[in-house]
Amino acid sequence: MKARVYVMPKAGVLDPQGKAIGHALEGLGFAGVGEVRAGKVIELELAETDAAKAKAAAEEMARRLLANTVIESFRVEVL
Amino acid sequence: MKAVVVVFPGTNRERDMAIALERATGRKPVMLFHRETALPAGTDLVVLPGGFSYGDYLRCGAMAAQSPIMREVAGFAAKGGHVLGVCNGFQILCEAGLLPGALLRNASLRFLSMDCHMRVERAGTPYTAHWQQGAVFRAPMAHGDGNFFCDDETHARLVAENLVAFRYCTPEGTLTDAANRNGARDNIAGIVSPNLRVCGLMPHPEDLVDPLMGGTDGLPMFTSLVDSLAAA
């Protein structure tokens, strides 16, 4: 089954990339855009067929490698 | 002093580091590829040099931190071994959990390739013994992700335990925002572990160790290591 890992900069961690995107949107004339945060999405194809086990495995992968929990938070979604 | 320089795919400052180590020690360091699973017998110092290991994929240093040799390096550090990480090496040490914090994208979003000045905040370590406390020295820097970050609790501990080794400053030694080009928290350029044996910093002292390079500002780091490790 497929797992999707969403990795985002933690609140309070400077996200200059998000800021730059925000500025660019403003430059394009999009009004009313507040804070912009940029993260990443990682899709995993897993052999595991049990959703709970797949989620637990993906969370362990996120903790060990996919996210740096000093600066990033993550959320796993099993599809 | 037997020094080992670890080379990952994408490392590109290993030769600069080897020149600096050879100049200080009179011996060529061992260049060790990342696939190795053991450090040479009698290793005194492991150096993780600068570069863009694994193309900076995922996060700078994230892939290198998981490579086979890093398990050995972590074991070596746990036994009290000396480990120096410069630039990408610093990022790898943080990713591997051997030093706290993380290196974020430069606040300006620009790659910074220029000289900077650093103030020695913690003299008397194996890496800083040949500088006076508060000494200012110049070093080149070349990085896109050198913005040191740590949470409040970690920052308080680094300061309380006096583990900040270097801070970015003006040539006169004043800590200013302008001198802190990458936006690092509290102008932190480099830190040491509680046992003072693991050190990471973003700028490149190894690139100023000979008058032909334009100066010898970085040489004290290497002569300090030679003295500290010879005495150990």
Side-chain angles (χ1 to χ4, degrees):
Chain A
M1 61 198 331
K2 237 184 199 167
R4 202 172 275 162
V5 183
Y6 296 85
V7 181
M8 289 298 292
K10 274 185 181 170
V13 173
L14 181 77
D15 177 15
Q17 191 174 219
K19 267 208 176 85
I21 295 168
H23 287 313
L25 289 172
E26 204 182 295
L28 285 171
F30 290 100
V33 180
E35 196 189 7
V36 179
R37 310 279 287 169
K40 57 188 107 162
V41 178
I42 299 161
E43 279 191 352
L44 306 164
E45 189 75 53
L46 301 175
E48 182 59 61
T49 52
D50 180 281
K53 281 184 188 159
K55 186 166 191 231
E59 283 173 348
E60 180 61 11
M61 293 175 206
R63 261 190 296 277
R64 294 272 303 277
L65 177 67
L66 307 179
N68 177 346
T69 54
V70 174
I71 50 172
E72 296 167 325
S73 59
F74 65 86
R75 180 169 62 80
V76 173
E77 198 179 275
V78 174
L79 307 172
Chain B
M1 180 176 91
K2 186 166 182 177
V4 171
V5 177
V6 181
V7 182
F8 300 95
T11 295
N12 63 13
R13 306 295 276 257
E14 74 276 18
R15 278 169 291 186
D16 311 35
M17 188 56 80
I19 289 167
L21 289 165
E22 188 176 354
R23 183 176 164 90
T25 65
R27 291 173 69 177
K28 281 188 193 305
V30 176
M31 308 303 275
L32 198 67
F33 203 47
H34 68 113
R35 281 188 201 281
E36 297 291 336
T37 52
L39 292 169
T43 297
D44 295 307
L45 170 73
V46 174
V47 183
L48 308 180
F52 300 87
S53 57
Y54 297 87
D56 280 348
Y57 285 173
L58 191 63
R59 296 176 305 276
C60 301
M63 297 296 174
Q66 307 299 328
S67 68
I69 194 61
M70 281 307 293
R71 274 193 291 276
E72 280 297 304
V73 174
F76 176 73
K79 282 183 285 185
H82 290 73
V83 183
L84 168 65
V86 171
C87 197
N88 189 221
F90 185 18
Q91 296 164 341
I92 296 168
L93 288 175
C94 290
E95 280 284 342
L98 292 175
L99 287 174
L103 284 312
L104 300 175
R105 182 64 45 91
N106 294 340
S108 62
L109 282 175
R110 288 172 197 275
F111 188 95
L112 296 170
S113 177
M114 57 184 62
D115 281 359
C116 67
H117 287 83
M118 284 179 284
R119 196 169 78 186
V120 177
E121 304 288 274
R122 174 80 190 257
T125 75
Y127 300 90
T128 58
H130 285 192
W131 276 298
Q132 298 288 320
Q133 180 77 21
V136 175
F137 69 104
R138 182 167 64 94
M141 63 175 170
H143 60 249
D145 300 69
N147 179 353
F148 182 77
F149 172 86
C150 60
D151 60 23
D152 293 345
E153 193 185 322
T154 307
H155 177 256
R157 184 173 62 78
L158 286 173
V159 171
E161 295 180 17
N162 198 11
L163 300 178
V164 176
F166 308 106
R167 280 195 173 93
Y168 299 109
C169 66
T170 65
E172 295 75 38
T174 311
L175 306 179
T176 64
D177 286 343
N180 189 24
R181 300 297 297 260
N182 58 27
R185 179 163 195 174
D186 196 15
N187 286 49
I188 292 174
I191 56 177
V192 287
S193 60
N195 70 358
L196 310 180
R197 293 186 172 187
V198 180
C199 175
L201 75 164
M202 286 310 299
H204 293 273
E206 76 276 18
D207 284 338
L208 269 188
V209 295
D210 190 297
L212 282 175
M213 294 171 168
T216 56
D217 271 39
L219 196 55
M221 173 169 284
F222 299 94
T223 56
S224 297
L225 277 166
V226 171
D227 266 8
S228 309
L229 288 166

PDB file of all heavy atoms in Angstrom, chain B residues 9 20 48 69 77 85 102 105 112 115 127 164 192 200 229:
ATOM      1  N   PRO B   9      30.321  10.528  -1.592  1.00  0.00           N
ATOM      2  CA  PRO B   9      30.063  10.984  -2.955  1.00  0.00           C
ATOM      3  C   PRO B   9      29.562  12.431  -2.888  1.00  0.00           C
ATOM      4  O   PRO B   9      28.607  12.709  -2.162  1.00  0.00           O
ATOM      5  CB  PRO B   9      28.947  10.055  -3.452  1.00  0.00           C
ATOM      6  CG  PRO B   9      28.739   9.031  -2.404  1.00  0.00           C
ATOM      7  CD  PRO B   9      29.427   9.448  -1.155  1.00  0.00           C
ATOM      8  N   ALA B  20      45.774  20.981   4.819  1.00  0.00           N
ATOM      9  CA  ALA B  20      45.875  21.627   6.140  1.00  0.00           C
ATOM     10  C   ALA B  20      46.372  20.637   7.185  1.00  0.00           C
ATOM     11  O   ALA B  20      47.237  20.975   8.013  1.00  0.00           O
ATOM     12  CB  ALA B  20      44.516  22.194   6.550  1.00  0.00           C
ATOM     13  N   LEU B  48      35.215  15.238   8.860  1.00  0.00           N
ATOM     14  CA  LEU B  48      34.202  15.220   7.802  1.00  0.00           C
ATOM     15  C   LEU B  48      34.336  16.548   7.073  1.00  0.00           C
ATOM     16  O   LEU B  48      34.020  17.599   7.644  1.00  0.00           O
ATOM     17  CB  LEU B  48      32.795  15.072   8.402  1.00  0.00           C
ATOM     18  CG  LEU B  48      32.584  13.916   9.382  1.00  0.00           C
ATOM     19  CD1 LEU B  48      31.137  13.915   9.888  1.00  0.00           C
ATOM     20  CD2 LEU B  48      32.911  12.575   8.737  1.00  0.00           C
ATOM     21  N   ILE B  69      29.997   4.196   7.228  1.00  0.00           N
ATOM     22  CA  ILE B  69      31.135   4.667   8.027  1.00  0.00           C
ATOM     23  C   ILE B  69      30.686   5.549   9.192  1.00  0.00           C
ATOM     24  O   ILE B  69      31.356   5.623  10.222  1.00  0.00           O
ATOM     25  CB  ILE B  69      32.174   5.410   7.135  1.00  0.00           C
ATOM     26  CG1 ILE B  69      33.513   5.604   7.862  1.00  0.00           C
ATOM     27  CG2 ILE B  69      31.653   6.757   6.674  1.00  0.00           C
ATOM     28  CD1 ILE B  69      34.212   4.329   8.267  1.00  0.00           C
ATOM     29  N   ALA B  77      33.290   8.507  18.392  1.00  0.00           N
ATOM     30  CA  ALA B  77      32.989   9.699  19.199  1.00  0.00           C
ATOM     31  C   ALA B  77      32.503   9.294  20.588  1.00  0.00           C
ATOM     32  O   ALA B  77      32.871   9.904  21.593  1.00  0.00           O
ATOM     33  CB  ALA B  77      31.951  10.562  18.498  1.00  0.00           C
ATOM     34  N   GLY B  85      33.906  18.435  12.023  1.00  0.00           N
ATOM     35  CA  GLY B  85      33.077  18.557  10.828  1.00  0.00           C
ATOM     36  C   GLY B  85      33.078  19.999  10.355  1.00  0.00           C
ATOM     37  O   GLY B  85      32.767  20.905  11.137  1.00  0.00           O
ATOM     38  N   ALA B 102      20.537  22.136  13.940  1.00  0.00           N
ATOM     39  CA  ALA B 102      20.454  21.825  12.521  1.00  0.00           C
ATOM     40  C   ALA B 102      20.876  23.066  11.751  1.00  0.00           C
ATOM     41  O   ALA B 102      20.863  24.175  12.285  1.00  0.00           O
ATOM     42  CB  ALA B 102      19.030  21.432  12.142  1.00  0.00           C
ATOM     43  N   ARG B 105      18.524  26.639   5.581  1.00  0.00           N
ATOM     44  CA  ARG B 105      18.838  27.500   4.441  1.00  0.00           C
ATOM     45  C   ARG B 105      19.241  28.889   4.957  1.00  0.00           C
ATOM     46  O   ARG B 105      18.660  29.390   5.915  1.00  0.00           O
ATOM     47  CB  ARG B 105      17.586  27.600   3.558  1.00  0.00           C
ATOM     48  CG  ARG B 105      17.685  28.416   2.283  1.00  0.00           C
ATOM     49  CD  ARG B 105      18.659  27.846   1.279  1.00  0.00           C
ATOM     50  NE  ARG B 105      18.550  26.405   1.096  1.00  0.00           N
ATOM     51  CZ  ARG B 105      17.779  25.834   0.181  1.00  0.00           C
ATOM     52  NH1 ARG B 105      17.028  26.550  -0.605  1.00  0.00           N
ATOM     53  NH2 ARG B 105      17.760  24.513   0.059  1.00  0.00           N
ATOM     54  N   LEU B 112      26.360  31.759  -0.007  1.00  0.00           N
ATOM     55  CA  LEU B 112      27.345  32.745   0.436  1.00  0.00           C
ATOM     56  C   LEU B 112      28.754  32.216   0.173  1.00  0.00           C
ATOM     57  O   LEU B 112      29.147  31.189   0.718  1.00  0.00           O
ATOM     58  CB  LEU B 112      27.178  33.031   1.927  1.00  0.00           C
ATOM     59  CG  LEU B 112      25.850  33.670   2.330  1.00  0.00           C
ATOM     60  CD1 LEU B 112      25.710  33.670   3.855  1.00  0.00           C
ATOM     61  CD2 LEU B 112      25.766  35.093   1.797  1.00  0.00           C
ATOM     62  N   ASP B 115      34.650  35.715   2.477  1.00  0.00           N
ATOM     63  CA  ASP B 115      35.325  35.570   3.760  1.00  0.00           C
ATOM     64  C   ASP B 115      34.402  36.041   4.879  1.00  0.00           C
ATOM     65  O   ASP B 115      33.560  36.914   4.669  1.00  0.00           O
ATOM     66  CB  ASP B 115      36.609  36.418   3.796  1.00  0.00           C
ATOM     67  CG  ASP B 115      37.748  35.732   3.057  1.00  0.00           C
ATOM     68  OD1 ASP B 115      37.539  34.622   2.545  1.00  0.00           O
ATOM     69  OD2 ASP B 115      38.842  36.314   2.998  1.00  0.00           O
ATOM     70  N   TYR B 127      40.392  22.127  19.750  1.00  0.00           N
ATOM     71  CA  TYR B 127      40.295  22.802  18.449  1.00  0.00           C
ATOM     72  C   TYR B 127      40.681  24.272  18.526  1.00  0.00           C
ATOM     73  O   TYR B 127      40.907  24.906  17.503  1.00  0.00           O
ATOM     74  CB  TYR B 127      38.859  22.675  17.907  1.00  0.00           C
ATOM     75  CG  TYR B 127      38.444  21.242  17.728  1.00  0.00           C
ATOM     76  CD1 TYR B 127      37.826  20.545  18.773  1.00  0.00           C
ATOM     77  CD2 TYR B 127      38.714  20.564  16.550  1.00  0.00           C
ATOM     78  CE1 TYR B 127      37.479  19.203  18.632  1.00  0.00           C
ATOM     79  CE2 TYR B 127      38.372  19.229  16.396  1.00  0.00           C
ATOM     80  CZ  TYR B 127      37.756  18.558  17.447  1.00  0.00           C
ATOM     81  OH  TYR B 127      37.423  17.237  17.291  1.00  0.00           O
ATOM     82  N   VAL B 164      29.519  26.974  22.789  1.00  0.00           N
ATOM     83  CA  VAL B 164      29.631  27.730  21.533  1.00  0.00           C
ATOM     84  C   VAL B 164      31.117  28.035  21.338  1.00  0.00           C
ATOM     85  O   VAL B 164      31.729  28.724  22.157  1.00  0.00           O
ATOM     86  CB  VAL B 164      28.816  29.036  21.581  1.00  0.00           C
ATOM     87  CG1 VAL B 164      29.031  29.832  20.296  1.00  0.00           C
ATOM     88  CG2 VAL B 164      27.343  28.724  21.789  1.00  0.00           C
ATOM     89  N   VAL B 192      30.913  22.899  20.090  1.00  0.00           N
ATOM     90  CA  VAL B 192      31.625  21.684  20.499  1.00  0.00           C
ATOM     91  C   VAL B 192      30.691  20.825  21.365  1.00  0.00           C
ATOM     92  O   VAL B 192      29.715  21.325  21.925  1.00  0.00           O
ATOM     93  CB  VAL B 192      32.921  21.978  21.290  1.00  0.00           C
ATOM     94  CG1 VAL B 192      34.019  22.511  20.379  1.00  0.00           C
ATOM     95  CG2 VAL B 192      32.658  22.948  22.435  1.00  0.00           C
ATOM     96  N   GLY B 200      31.983  21.191  15.270  1.00  0.00           N
ATOM     97  CA  GLY B 200      31.458  21.470  13.940  1.00  0.00           C
ATOM     98  C   GLY B 200      31.403  22.964  13.716  1.00  0.00           C
ATOM     99  O   GLY B 200      31.088  23.715  14.647  1.00  0.00           O
ATOM    100  N   LEU B 229      46.330  16.343  20.722  1.00  0.00           N
ATOM    101  CA  LEU B 229      46.310  14.899  20.506  1.00  0.00           C
ATOM    102  C   LEU B 229      47.654  14.259  20.796  1.00  0.00           C
ATOM    103  O   LEU B 229      47.721  13.100  21.192  1.00  0.00           O
ATOM    104  CB  LEU B 229      45.834  14.598  19.080  1.00  0.00           C
ATOM    105  CG  LEU B 229      44.339  14.863  18.926  1.00  0.00           C
ATOM    106  CD1 LEU B 229      43.925  14.908  17.473  1.00  0.00           C
ATOM    107  CD2 LEU B 229      43.544  13.792  19.658  1.00  0.00           C
TER     108      LEU B 229
END
